[in-house]
C-alpha cells in the first residue's frame, strides 16, 4: 500500500473509497494452500518474511493468537473461492491481518506480549483482518471481505466511513480520530478490572477503493503524523508447497 501523502489528484478523483482504522500492531498473514486433493497447508507470516518452526511461537504469540481461527479461516477460504466461481483445490488464499494488543491502561492478560508501546487496545493479543486475495490475482473488495468475515465471525479492522475522497477528508483526520479498537474488547477489559480510558490514540486509516480489482494500486495508508512504516513483502524459501507448515488436515 502507498502512503496517502504520495498520492496524486488523479489517484483520488472520481473514485468511491472506504476507510478502515489502521491498527498499530504488526502486519501478519495466514496463507492457506489447498493441493489438488484438497489437503490443506498453512503458513503464517510477518510483514517481511514467512515464519517457520519455532518462529511461530516466538513472534508475538502469533501461533497462539491465530490457532482458534485456523479451522474457520480454512472454510472461509473455500467460500472465497466458490464466490469467485473457482474450485478451491489447487488454490492459495491469503488473509492479511494486524496482530495487536497485550496492554490496556497499564494492565495486561497473563501470557500475552505487548506488540506496540503507547497503544491501548486490549489486555490480550488479538488479530483483525483487513485483506484477502486468491492466487495473488483476485483481491476481494471491502464489501465482499466484510460480508465474508462477518458470516464466519472472523474479526475485521473497524470500519470508519465510505464516500469520495473529499467527503472522507471532511470526516476523518488521523491526528484527532479516537481509535475504536478497544470497543471490540470492552468485555475483556472489564473482566480484568481495568478502567476504560477517556480517549484512545489512532495510528491512522486504510483508504481503499470500494470496488477492488487485481491489485492495490489505489490503496493508501492515511497515517497520523507521528507514524512511519517500512519493509517489504514476505518471500517464501525454495518451493512454495514444500515450505508450508502442514498444520491442519
Amino acid at each position: 500500500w502507498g502512503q496517502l501523502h504520495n498520492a496524486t489528484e488523479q489517484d483520488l478523483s472520481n473514485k468511491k473509497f472506504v476507510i478502515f482504522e489502521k491498527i498499530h500492531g504488526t502486519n501478519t498473514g495466514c496463507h492457506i494452500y489447498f493441493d489438488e486433493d484438497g489437503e490443506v497447508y498453512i503458513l503464517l507470516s510477518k510483514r517481511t518474511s514467512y515464519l517457520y518452526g519455532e518462529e511461530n511461537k516466538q513472534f508475538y504469540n502469533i501461533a497462539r493468537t491465530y490457532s482458534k481461527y485456523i479451522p474457520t479461516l480454512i472454510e472461509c477460504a473455500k467460500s472465497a473461492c466458490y464466490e469467485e466461481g473457482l474450485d478451491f483445490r489447487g488454490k492459495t488464499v491469503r488473509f492479511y491481518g494486524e496482530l495487536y494488543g497485550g496492554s490496556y491502561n497499564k494492565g495486561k492478560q497473563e501470557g500475552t506480549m505487548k506488540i506496540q508501546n503507547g497503544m491501548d487496545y486490549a489486555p490480550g493479543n488479538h488479530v483483525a483482518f483487513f485483506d484477502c486475495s486468491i492466487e495473488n490475482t483476485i483481491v476481494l473488495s471491502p464489501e465482499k471481505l466484510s460480508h465474508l468475515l462477518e458470516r464466519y465471525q472472523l474479526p475485521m479492522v473497524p470500519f470508519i466511513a465510505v464516500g469520495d475522497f473529499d467527503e472522507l477528508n471532511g470526516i476523518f483526520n488521523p491526528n484527532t480520530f479516537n481509535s475504536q479498537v478497544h470497543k471490540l474488547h470492552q468485555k475483556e477489559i472489564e473482566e480484568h478490572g481495568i478502567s476504560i480510558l477517556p480517549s484512545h490514540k489512532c495510528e491512522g486509516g486504510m483508504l481503499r477503493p470500494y470496488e477492488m480489482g487485481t491489485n492495490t494500486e489505489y490503496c493508501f495508508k492515511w497515517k497520523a503524523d507521528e507514524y512511519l512504516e517500512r519493509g517489504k513483502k514476505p518471500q517464501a524459501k525454495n518451493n512454495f508447497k514444500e515450505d508450508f507448515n502442514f498444520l491442519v488436515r
Side-chain angles (χ1 to χ4, degrees), residues 34-40 88-90 241:
F34 301 98
D35 69 14
E36 296 295 340
D37 296 320
E39 293 283 5
V40 185
F88 69 88
R89 287 168 291 191
K241 179 176 176 179

Side-chain angles (χ1 to χ4, degrees), residues 86-104:
L86 302 171
D87 185 343
F88 69 88
R89 287 168 291 191
K91 302 296 187 298
T92 301
V93 181
R94 306 173 192 274
F95 293 92
Y96 295 98
E98 198 77 2
L99 192 66
Y100 64 93
S103 177
Y104 185 86

Side-chain angles (χ1 to χ4, degrees), residues 27-204:
N27 190 292
T28 61
C30 181
H31 311 264
I32 302 174
Y33 170 71
F34 301 98
D35 69 14
E36 296 295 340
D37 296 320
E39 293 283 5
V40 185
Y41 298 78
I42 307 289
L43 191 63
L44 300 178
S45 69
K46 56 184 179 179
R47 183 177 60 180
T48 55
S49 66
Y50 291 105
L51 299 170
Y52 301 91
E54 289 299 309
E55 291 178 316
N56 287 286
K57 297 179 181 179
Q58 297 165 356
F59 186 75
Y60 292 115
N61 282 336
I62 187 172
R64 177 179 172 183
T65 304
Y66 266 88
S67 61
K68 64 182 178 181
Y69 298 119
I70 292 296
T72 309
L73 283 167
I74 291 170
E75 296 306 311
C76 187
K78 292 178 181 178
S79 288
C81 291
Y82 288 143
E83 291 182 10
E84 295 299 323
L86 302 171
D87 185 343
F88 69 88
R89 287 168 291 191
K91 302 296 187 298
T92 301
V93 181
R94 306 173 192 274
F95 293 92
Y96 295 98
E98 198 77 2
L99 192 66
Y100 64 93
S103 177
Y104 185 86
N105 196 8
K106 301 180 180 179
K108 63 177 296 184
Q109 185 173 303
E110 185 177 354
T112 60
M113 299 179 67
K114 183 190 290 188
I115 294 179
Q116 291 288 357
N117 291 321
M119 305 305 289
D120 292 281
Y121 290 138
N125 291 134
H126 299 276
V127 63
F129 299 103
F130 58 82
D131 221 343
C132 175
S133 68
I134 303 171
E135 290 292 289
N136 284 335
T137 58
I138 299 172
V139 181
L140 298 193
S141 70
E143 184 177 28
K144 285 184 178 180
L145 179 61
S146 62
H147 288 327
L148 195 63
L149 295 178
E150 183 177 7
R151 187 191 320 156
Y152 284 92
Q153 298 183 315
L154 291 164
M156 188 173 183
V157 295
F159 166 83
I160 297 175
V162 60
D164 63 36
F165 179 72
D166 288 337
E167 291 171 331
L168 298 179
N169 196 31
I171 295 170
F172 179 70
N173 181 339
N175 296 304
T176 59
F177 185 78
N178 198 38
S179 173
Q180 304 297 298
V181 179
H182 70 286
K183 293 181 179 180
L184 303 174
H185 310 291
Q186 192 153 342
K187 183 178 179 181
E188 176 185 304
I189 294 168
E190 292 171 350
E191 287 176 346
H192 284 77
I194 304 171
S195 299
I196 301 292
L197 293 166
S199 63
H200 298 79
K201 189 185 294 187
C202 174
E203 184 193 8

